[in-house]
Amino acid sequence: MKKISLLGATGSIGRQTLDVIRQHHEEFSLAAFSAGRNIEETRKIIKDFQPELVSVELREDAVKLKAEFPSVKMMHGEEGLVETAVFQAADILVNAVLGSVGLHPTLQAIEAGKKIAIANKETLVTAGHLVMAAAKKHGVELLPVDSEHSAIFQCLQGEKEKNIDRLVLTASGGSFRDRTRAELKNVTVQEALNHPNWSMGAKITIDSATMMNKGLEVIEAHWLFHLPYDQIDVILHRESIIHSMVEFQDSSVIAQLGTPDMRVPIQYALTYPDRLSLPDAKRLNLLEVGKLHFQPVDQERFRMLALAYEAGKSGGTLPTVLNAANEAAVAAFLDGKITFLQIDELVERALEKHQSSPEPDLETIQQTDKETREFVRSLL
Ligand code: NDP
Ligand code: MG
């Protein structure tokens, strides 16, 4: 029996992780989890999975839940996230919290020697150099959950890093892939949230529409697979059937395919190097699919992808600024405070204004993250 601790249990990845645990209750159990403010859902999860430790965002919610479930250890806030991440009885941490709030708990889990299935890409973007160095130092495995990175990880089984020529990340193009930039002027939040292939949390769905998601994923791939940016490419592939590919020195290309279902990469991270059945996953029928399409990405149209490559290549605190500005701008868009095209503008302005520091430590990163969010809010 593998015991799991889960950050972000009430989210899109969190709920799908719980589904995987439920389907394999003889293999997995939920030892600890964190949620944000969705207390109704938190109650249900406690009843269904009977974990030992639960953490929520707010103190008053933790107090309320403690009265309802006296035998469960109840925590809250940043400290609760960290306690969940390092929970001693857990064999593996699934980090599916949203945003750079996941950085500190991830570093603490690494120090505690926890194996980590990482969905929380913002953590790798904001401080990839710190996370990877800590993982190396403590001999901790980081198993990718993001579908593209899981695909690459699967393609690399039995392969040597030195033989890789390039990674090709596929991108669906998001909700507005068939519109010109001019046609994006008056799009609504509802339209932006309508992703053609994947049902995901609100923030990542907006990131897909701006293509910042692919930009974050390029930086994530750079860290997870130790490759320079000029060996990481992106192509548009509207069906999201090929989840990503690796091209090797001998010109051979290995791809991983499947119908879009995040439970597959989540489960693979939990069972690696083994696999388990997933009875209700829809099997890929290529005869039914018929055709797969590929297109280059227009970097003018998808400005955010170009910005992410630039920030990633420059390094220092620029990736932190890229991520924090984007988190703040997307939140403002979801709140109806700015238009869709203003997301790019705000991120660009934050990057332009910033004086990057090389090799930032944790304190510098946290300070940069905070200042960037304040700067973006000051522009609203
Ligand atoms: P959601 O918005 O659906 O879920 C986010 C989770 O984090 C919720 O449980 C939420 O709690 C919790 N949370 C948010 N803010 C805080 C906070 N300040 N303190 C504590 N908990 C908090 O996001 P997704 O599941 O879509 O994404 C999670 C991560 O996985 C992201 O990094 C995303 O990029 C990545 N990812 C997601 C994919 C997907 O298919 N959804 C695919 C690949 C990667 P609550 O709701 O209770 O407030
Ligand atoms: Mg992805």
Side-chain angles (χ1 to χ4, degrees):
M1 175 74 79
K2 249 186 213 170
K3 289 191 173 183
I4 295 167
S5 60
L6 171 60
L7 296 182
T10 46
S12 161
I13 293 290
R15 277 181 271 118
Q16 295 179 85
T17 304
L18 294 175
D19 187 37
V20 168
I21 297 174
R22 206 178 275 118
Q23 294 205 36
H24 299 290
H25 54 86
E26 276 147 25
E27 311 275 342
F28 304 126
S29 69
L30 184 70
F33 76 88
S34 82
R37 300 187 181 202
N38 187 343
I39 297 312
E40 205 41 55
E41 193 66 28
T42 301
R43 259 190 208 105
K44 276 195 208 138
I45 301 170
I46 298 174
K47 283 183 192 152
D48 282 1
F49 292 90
Q50 305 187 342
E52 295 166 55
L53 170 74
V54 174
S55 173
V56 290
E57 204 173 323
L58 305 174
R59 185 170 185 277
E60 60 260 37
D61 288 330
V63 171
K64 213 185 289 170
L65 288 167
K66 182 69 190 172
E68 293 172 44
F69 304 97
S71 65
V72 179
K73 181 169 181 194
M74 213 63 79
M75 299 194 66
H76 70 275
E78 165 107 28
E79 197 192 344
L81 278 181
V82 170
E83 285 302 311
T84 310
V86 303
F87 191 62
Q88 217 204 335
D91 301 296
I92 182 166
L93 163 68
V94 178
N95 182 353
V97 74
L98 178 72
S100 60
V101 67
L103 173 60
H104 186 50
T106 302
L107 290 172
Q108 294 292 309
I110 291 173
E111 268 188 33
K114 291 283 168 216
K115 187 189 273 193
I116 306 177
I118 185 129
N120 177 225
K121 65 186 87 184
E122 294 88 355
T123 278
L124 283 169
V125 172
T126 201
H129 62 298
L130 297 183
V131 174
M132 296 315 291
K136 192 171 173 196
K137 181 173 166 203
H138 296 276
V140 160
E141 258 181 308
L142 288 179
L143 298 154
V145 168
D146 212 345
S147 59
E148 295 76 3
H149 306 74
S150 174
I152 291 167
F153 184 61
Q154 293 180 56
C155 296
L156 289 177
Q157 293 307 308
E159 300 291 347
K160 291 185 177 149
E161 245 170 49
K162 71 175 176 64
N163 295 332
I164 304 172
D165 237 10
R166 74 183 174 125
L167 308 179
V168 182
L169 301 183
T170 53
S172 70
S175 330
F176 301 136
R177 61 193 182 188
D178 296 322
R179 299 195 194 203
T180 62
R181 209 167 161 90
E183 287 168 339
L184 295 176
K185 211 166 164 210
N186 298 314
V187 293
T188 64
V189 172
Q190 270 325 307
E191 287 172 298
L193 285 176
N194 189 16
H195 195 285
N197 302 352
W198 300 92
S199 161
M200 309 182 285
K203 190 256 179 185
I204 187 175
T205 306
I206 304 305
D207 284 348
S208 299
T210 62
M211 274 277 215
M212 177 57 100
N213 183 49
K214 213 48 59 180
L216 301 178
E217 289 183 354
V218 166
I219 300 176
E220 185 185 7
H222 163 79
W223 291 116
L224 285 173
F225 304 111
H226 322 107
L227 280 178
Y229 287 95
D230 58 6
Q231 281 172 268
I232 306 173
D233 288 342
V234 173
I235 58 170
L236 279 176
H237 164 48
R238 42 194 312 127
E239 291 85 6
S240 299
I241 296 287
I242 295 183
H243 298 311
S244 279
M245 308 177 239
V246 181
E247 187 176 319
F248 295 90
Q249 279 174 335
D250 62 357
S251 83
S252 187
V253 177
I254 302 187
Q256 188 259 346
L257 288 74
T259 48
D261 183 339
M262 281 310 297
R263 294 174 310 166
V264 178
I266 293 168
Q267 180 171 299
Y268 186 69
L270 294 176
T271 60
Y272 170 80
D274 210 345
R275 292 184 189 263
L276 280 175
S277 71
L278 189 57
D280 62 347
K282 188 173 183 290
R283 297 273 160 163
L284 175 61
N285 182 340
L286 282 175
L287 294 176
E288 227 170 61
V289 176
K291 279 185 184 158
L292 297 177
H293 296 83
F294 305 96
Q295 265 172 273
V297 181
D298 176 350
Q299 303 240 353
E300 276 304 307
R301 157 70 178 77
F302 293 110
R303 185 84 196 102
M304 295 286 238
L305 183 59
L307 289 179
Y309 267 105
E310 281 167 32
K313 281 181 192 163
S314 310
T317 37
L318 282 171
T320 306
V321 173
L322 176 90
N323 179 67
N326 182 59
E327 284 193 38
V330 171
F333 173 68
L334 288 169
D335 277 352
K337 291 183 184 143
I338 58 168
T339 65
F340 184 74
L341 287 176
Q342 281 175 309
I343 303 174
D344 299 19
E345 276 169 39
L346 290 173
V347 173
E348 205 161 358
R349 283 183 68 181
L351 286 167
E352 274 166 14
K353 182 205 151 245
H354 183 68
Q355 281 288 343
S356 181
S357 329
E359 290 293 316
D361 58 11
L362 182 59
E363 204 188 326
T364 309
I365 283 171
Q366 286 171 331
Q367 188 60 25
T368 305
D369 181 290
K370 192 167 157 255
E371 283 169 13
T372 304
R373 286 167 200 265
E374 280 161 9
F375 173 71
V376 170
R377 282 191 216 111
S378 76
L379 298 177
L380 297 179

